[in-house]
Amino acid sequence: MRRVSLDRFYAGILALLLWVAVPAWAAPVAPVSRLAVAEQQVLDEDASLEQLSAHLDQIRQGVTANANDDLLAQLRQSALQVQRQADVLATQRAADVERLDDQLKVFGPVQPDEAESLTRQRQQLSDEKNTVLAEQKEAAELTQSARDLSTQIVNLRRSLFNSQITSRAASPLSPAFWSSLIRPTDEDVARLSELRREASAALSSALGAEHRWWFLTALVAAVLVWTLVRRVLERLLADAMVRWLPEGRLRRSALALSVSLATLGTIAGSVSLVRLGLESTAELGSDIASLTNHVLALVVLSAFISGLGRAMLMLQRPSWRLPAIPDEVASALGWFPKALALVLMVLLTQERINSVIGTSLALTLATNGVIALVVSLLFVAALVRYRRTLRKHELERPGGLAGLIPFVIVVWVGLILLTLLAGYLTLSYFLTAKLLWVSMVITCAYLLVTFFGDLCETLLSPRQPGGLALASALGLQQRHQAQASTILAGIGRTLLLFGAALLIFMPSGTSPGELLLSLADWDGSGGKVLGNLNIVPQDILVAVAMFIGGWFAIRVVKRWLSERLLPETDMDAGMRASLVTLVGYLGFIFLAMLVMSTLHINLTSLTWVVSALSVGIGFGLQQIVQNFISGLILLTERPVKVGDWVSLAGVEGDIRRINVRATEIQMSDRSTVIVPNSQFISQNVRNVTMANALGVVGITLTLPLETDASRVREVLLAAYKEHDNILDAPASSVSFKDLTASGMVIGVSGYVGSPRQVSSTRSDLLFTILGRLRDEGIALSSPQSMVLLQESGRPGEPA
């Protein structure tokens, strides 16, 4: 019952908005145009160069400083259309020139005695070629002119935006702010009355005897699609997820994405039905047609916001909720998406009315201030409800990025309120719009990234039933399958996040459609050539933001390589560490190039820096450059790698890290020695563990001559064979090394898996061997020494 009442409430609000915008008591006016007719003249696809040039002149005349942002956006779209059609004509003319060249090649050069008809045909082809070349040149010039005009419009929109955003007006704390809303000027009232008369005429034509039933049928069908069809579609999608998708995260992410798309699709269908009903029945004026387009777009936007909120909170199926939101928090915030959608629907409709009829600046700024104030208060209420819920149920605050989101929203909303109370209404409105836009983009990116990762994990991972079935069908190895899953998921997520970043940092005065058109028209040439060093404060801020974002992206890529992708390969730890280091260096080089490009720094501007560096290298930087080049050689040729046990000039230990300038070696006492990389290139280095070298455990014993050598041999081999670290192959061996005056020298040797095991294994074997020899009664030879004593003579004898 509650859902039905809410749907009826939203339908009543929509009907109330239509009633306010279209009063029945206004006087009718003559019909002007239909909804499908654009305000600007639409060019034909086969328009000539003269028509394109004339249309471009009309667009150029409309580009003035007094034009508002909506008109400038329409003019830019028209300029882009001229640019595309002129480019198509230039391409066609280039093909015609090639065709005429081929025909002229058939005729060949002029012959002295050729027929007059051949000469006449060659002359006709030459004249036609010259005409086509002139048209091609004219089309290219027209393309460049349209491109320049589009750039000029963009710069004008940005300057208009910058001038508006820094202007100060009456704040909501002053009566002047509210008086412009309560008591609009006579000119604004007259314009609103004119809009009501146009709306009344449209409504009268739609409710006429000829079109009444068709219009009402379209409205009823739109309401049914919005309510009943959406609910049935969501239920069918949930049943399909349970039936067709395996258990796991893919069900939840697919259902969340499906709920968002179902909400967007049904409301888009409802809007299409309303639009069809209006186009078929109503006779709309230019202002009411533009307003109707904007209102229908706002309906789609509001429904999409509500759908995103429902998909993220998932109140109907808490166990299927995609983000880690507690049930108490989700229930406490369930009202927020619907309230936000409804407020935006109402307030932005009024803002669109002001834009369409061109109200006074005071009324426009006051409307923008009201929108910023109401939306900010909604976010404040949501934050307060969130904090109270955490305290009431003693819930822990989320960590990581999820815990940072409330803090960012608090700072952002606080900044909006401060600018609003200070009187910077346009700036507060811009920050409010950015807050809504960034929230939508981040939410959509989260849904898409999660769904794509879960899809790759389910279909390609060898740990899932779908991945096992795919591997058995295609004959793939699990290792290659895991690598493909990781790479595909990483590439898809990177592209999605890159697109989200483009939309978030979209320049002011640019719509998403214009951004996509700009990307489609980009040919990689770079447009303008960078000049000499020319740095402005705005470029510095953009460069700093790009550097911070790029540094964070490089860290994320390195972590993804070291933790996700490279462990799925056959690379050893040293190779993985070297590859991650190289990727980091290449990323920083690319980031430095981007930052210099943002600062408009040309390489020719750095000639004095290169000259200074060359002099410095000649005197004091030779060792630094030598170590840098040596570090690159170590990372590419890999004579030593991370994890190797090396001995160099009295330094012996494990390599822990290879940097650009020096290598860190950890000694046996856990101390670290910093060795310049050039020493690894110019000196002899002993790599104990290179190529998976085995360790040799050797023990030499000196025994008395009467010892049973065969028994000693059996004791030694038994001790080596019983030790866990001694390898069976190569087999251990006992050798009779020497026979001396001190006794016989017997040596035993065996192999272990790594040289690092030699010391501990030899110590264990010595304890074991000495104990067993003692048990067998076999003693080791003790060192013998000879002492010469001189006896004194007998008494009476001469010395």
Side-chain angles (χ1 to χ4, degrees):
M1 293 299 295
R2 186 179 179 183
R3 297 178 187 173
V4 176
S5 61
L6 286 178
D7 292 334
R8 291 178 178 175
F9 175 70
Y10 293 145
I13 290 296
L14 179 60
L16 180 61
L17 288 175
L18 292 177
W19 180 80
V20 171
V22 190
W25 45 265
V29 294
V32 179
S33 62
R34 295 208 175 245
L35 183 64
V37 178
E39 296 180 2
Q40 296 292 330
Q41 182 181 1
V42 180
L43 288 173
D44 297 332
E45 293 295 333
D46 55 350
S48 62
L49 288 174
E50 291 78 9
Q51 294 175 344
L52 293 177
S53 180
H55 191 68
L56 188 62
D57 292 337
Q58 294 178 0
I59 297 172
R60 191 178 286 109
Q61 293 175 4
V63 179
T64 59
N66 298 327
N68 58 11
D69 187 73
D70 293 338
L71 179 58
L72 291 177
Q74 294 176 3
L75 293 176
R76 183 173 183 269
Q77 294 297 327
S78 300
L80 291 176
Q81 181 186 4
V82 173
Q83 175 187 341
R84 287 190 293 268
Q85 292 187 243
D87 196 10
V88 171
L89 288 178
T91 304
Q92 293 176 356
R93 295 300 180 269
D96 294 339
V97 169
E98 293 180 358
R99 176 179 55 81
L100 292 174
D101 284 337
D102 294 337
Q103 294 180 1
L104 288 174
K105 289 179 182 180
V106 173
F107 284 95
V110 179
Q111 301 296 330
D113 55 347
E114 68 178 5
E116 183 179 356
S117 59
L118 293 178
T119 305
R120 189 183 307 109
Q121 293 179 4
R122 184 184 292 106
Q123 184 64 32
Q124 291 177 354
L125 291 176
S126 300
D127 295 341
E128 186 178 355
K129 177 183 176 181
N130 294 331
T131 303
V132 173
L133 284 174
E135 292 180 354
Q136 181 186 4
K137 182 179 179 181
E138 183 180 357
E141 293 176 353
L142 186 60
T143 301
Q144 186 62 37
S145 299
R147 184 181 292 111
D148 295 340
L149 181 59
S150 175
T151 305
Q152 179 185 354
I153 294 174
V154 170
N155 295 331
L156 183 59
R157 293 179 66 187
R158 290 179 181 175
S159 61
L160 180 62
F161 172 78
N162 293 330
S163 63
Q164 290 178 353
I165 206 170
T166 56
S167 61
R168 189 174 182 182
S171 69
L173 299 178
S174 62
F177 175 84
W178 302 102
S179 63
S180 59
L181 292 172
I182 300 173
R183 299 176 181 176
T185 61
D186 296 336
E187 185 178 358
D188 292 337
V189 173
R191 291 176 178 177
L192 288 172
S193 300
E194 181 65 25
L195 183 64
R196 290 192 186 98
R197 285 192 290 269
E198 289 189 12
S200 177
L203 184 60
S204 300
S205 61
L207 296 179
E210 300 178 357
H211 309 292
R212 179 183 306 166
W213 293 108
W214 173 250
F215 179 69
L216 294 177
T217 302
L219 288 181
V220 172
V223 174
L224 290 177
V225 171
W226 189 1
T227 57
L228 182 61
V229 174
R230 176 179 59 82
R231 191 175 306 157
V232 173
L233 182 59
E234 289 181 1
R235 184 173 300 175
L236 292 177
L237 288 174
D239 295 339
M241 302 304 164
V242 175
R243 179 177 301 178
W244 299 106
L245 294 181
E247 295 183 0
R249 289 182 54 87
L250 183 60
R251 280 187 180 181
R252 296 188 294 169
S253 57
L255 180 61
L257 185 62
S258 300
V259 168
S260 302
L261 295 179
T263 304
L264 181 61
T266 51
I267 193 60
S270 302
V271 169
S272 300
L273 290 174
V274 175
R275 184 189 299 273
L276 179 61
L278 290 175
E279 289 179 351
S280 303
T281 60
E283 296 179 353
L284 306 177
S286 58
D287 290 340
I288 198 63
S290 177
L291 178 61
T292 306
N293 282 327
H294 289 306
V295 169
L296 295 179
L298 288 177
V299 172
V300 176
L301 175 64
S302 301
F304 184 60
I305 292 176
S306 178
L308 285 179
R310 294 175 62 250
M312 296 296 290
L313 298 178
M314 199 65 67
L315 297 178
Q316 295 82 6
R317 299 175 180 85
S319 60
W320 287 46
R321 187 176 299 123
L322 192 59
I325 301 177
D327 295 340
E328 297 82 1
V329 176
S331 300
L333 298 179
W335 60 272
F336 178 70
K338 300 177 181 179
L340 181 61
L342 182 60
V343 166
L344 290 178
M345 181 65 205
V346 175
L347 295 180
L348 291 182
T349 299
Q350 181 61 42
E351 190 270 339
R352 287 291 88 190
I353 291 175
N354 295 340
S355 177
V356 168
I357 65 177
T359 56
S360 61
L361 181 61
L363 182 57
T364 301
L365 292 179
T367 304
N368 295 339
V370 170
I371 294 174
L373 179 61
V374 175
V375 173
S376 301
L377 293 179
L378 273 179
F379 273 94
V380 169
L383 290 172
V384 171
R385 190 73 178 273
Y386 171 74
R387 294 291 298 273
R388 288 181 178 177
T389 305
L390 291 182
R391 293 178 181 177
K392 179 179 179 181
H393 299 279
E394 298 180 355
L395 300 175
E396 295 182 359
R397 295 181 180 179
L401 293 178
L404 189 62
I405 292 176
F407 173 75
V408 173
I409 294 178
V410 168
V411 175
W412 203 318
V413 172
L415 186 60
I416 293 174
L417 293 176
L418 286 177
T419 55
L420 186 63
L421 296 178
Y424 295 99
L425 304 181
T426 306
L427 179 58
S428 62
Y429 177 77
F430 168 74
L431 292 176
T432 304
K434 273 295 182 180
L435 176 60
L436 295 173
W437 176 250
V438 170
S439 302
M440 289 178 55
V441 171
I442 290 179
T443 305
C444 294
Y446 172 77
L447 286 177
L448 292 176
V449 167
T450 306
F451 172 74
F452 189 80
D454 295 341
L455 183 64
C456 294
E457 179 72 18
T458 303
L459 296 182
L460 298 178
S461 177
R463 295 181 292 271
Q464 299 293 334
L468 294 176
L470 181 64
S472 61
L474 301 180
L476 299 176
Q477 298 182 4
Q478 291 188 359
R479 176 171 53 84
H480 295 162
Q481 189 179 1
Q483 295 173 9
S485 174
T486 306
I487 292 175
L488 184 60
I491 293 176
R493 290 174 177 175
T494 303
L495 293 178
L496 290 174
L497 293 177
F498 179 73
L502 280 180
L503 293 176
I504 288 176
F505 296 103
M506 187 170 55
S508 58
T510 304
S511 64
E514 294 173 1
L515 180 63
L516 294 177
L517 289 176
S518 301
L519 293 177
D521 294 337
W522 184 65
D523 55 357
S525 60
K528 298 180 180 179
V529 180
L530 295 178
N532 293 328
L533 186 62
N534 183 17
I535 301 177
V536 296
Q538 183 179 359
D539 294 337
I540 295 177
L541 294 178
V542 174
V544 171
M546 182 178 295
F547 177 78
I548 296 175
W551 176 74
F552 180 75
I554 290 173
R555 290 192 59 184
V556 171
V557 171
K558 291 174 63 177
R559 183 181 302 175
W560 176 75
L561 285 174
S562 60
E563 297 180 1
R564 294 293 302 276
L565 178 60
L566 296 183
E568 301 289 348
T569 63
D570 293 335
M571 298 181 184
D572 52 57
M575 183 62 183
R576 295 200 299 265
S578 300
L579 184 58
V580 170
T581 304
L582 280 177
V583 169
Y585 293 155
L586 294 177
F588 276 110
I589 292 174
F590 180 70
L591 180 60
M593 295 173 60
L594 286 180
V595 171
M596 288 192 297
S597 176
T598 303
L599 295 175
H600 304 287
I601 298 177
N602 196 355
L603 293 179
T604 57
S605 302
L606 302 179
T607 53
W608 61 274
V609 179
V610 176
S611 302
L613 285 177
S614 62
V615 176
I617 290 172
F619 287 97
L621 301 180
Q622 291 182 355
Q623 293 297 326
I624 295 178
V625 175
Q626 184 179 3
N627 291 327
F628 175 76
I629 300 300
S630 301
L632 295 180
I633 293 175
L634 292 179
L635 291 174
T636 52
E637 293 187 358
R638 301 176 68 245
V640 294
K641 60 182 181 297
V642 175
D644 284 351
W645 180 11
V646 297
S647 177
L648 170 67
V651 178
E652 184 172 354
D654 299 325
I655 294 180
R656 292 306 180 195
R657 188 176 181 183
I658 301 177
N659 297 319
V660 177
R661 189 193 64 84
T663 298
E664 299 177 4
I665 299 179
Q666 186 176 10
M667 307 291 286
S668 58
D669 58 354
R670 299 296 179 180
S671 63
T672 302
V673 179
I674 309 299
V675 180
N677 291 329
S678 58
Q679 295 190 15
F680 287 91
I681 304 300
S682 60
Q683 297 186 12
N684 296 329
V685 181
R686 178 172 177 257
N687 193 337
V688 182
T689 57
M690 187 176 182
N692 297 324
L694 301 177
V696 180
V697 182
I699 297 176
T700 302
L701 302 176
T702 303
L703 303 170
L705 296 176
E706 62 271 12
T707 304
D708 187 357
S710 300
R711 182 59 185 162
V712 173
R713 182 175 183 274
E714 293 176 358
V715 170
L716 295 179
L717 288 178
Y720 267 68
K721 185 177 181 181
E722 294 174 0
H723 200 279
D724 296 335
N725 292 342
I726 300 297
L727 302 178
D728 295 335
S732 304
S733 62
V734 177
S735 59
F736 200 120
K737 290 190 174 184
D738 201 358
L739 187 63
T740 64
S742 301
M744 52 183 175
V745 180
I746 297 178
V748 58
S749 62
Y751 291 90
V752 291
S754 172
R756 304 180 190 279
Q757 302 176 356
V758 171
S759 179
S760 60
T761 304
R762 188 172 186 274
S763 176
D764 296 340
L765 288 174
L766 282 174
F767 279 110
T768 303
I769 290 173
L770 291 177
R772 293 187 178 183
L773 290 177
R774 187 178 297 107
D775 295 339
E776 295 289 338
I778 301 175
L780 298 177
S781 295
S782 57
Q784 299 179 2
S785 61
M786 182 173 60
V787 181
L788 299 179
L789 299 176
Q790 182 179 4
E791 297 182 357
S792 61
R794 294 180 180 179
E797 293 183 356

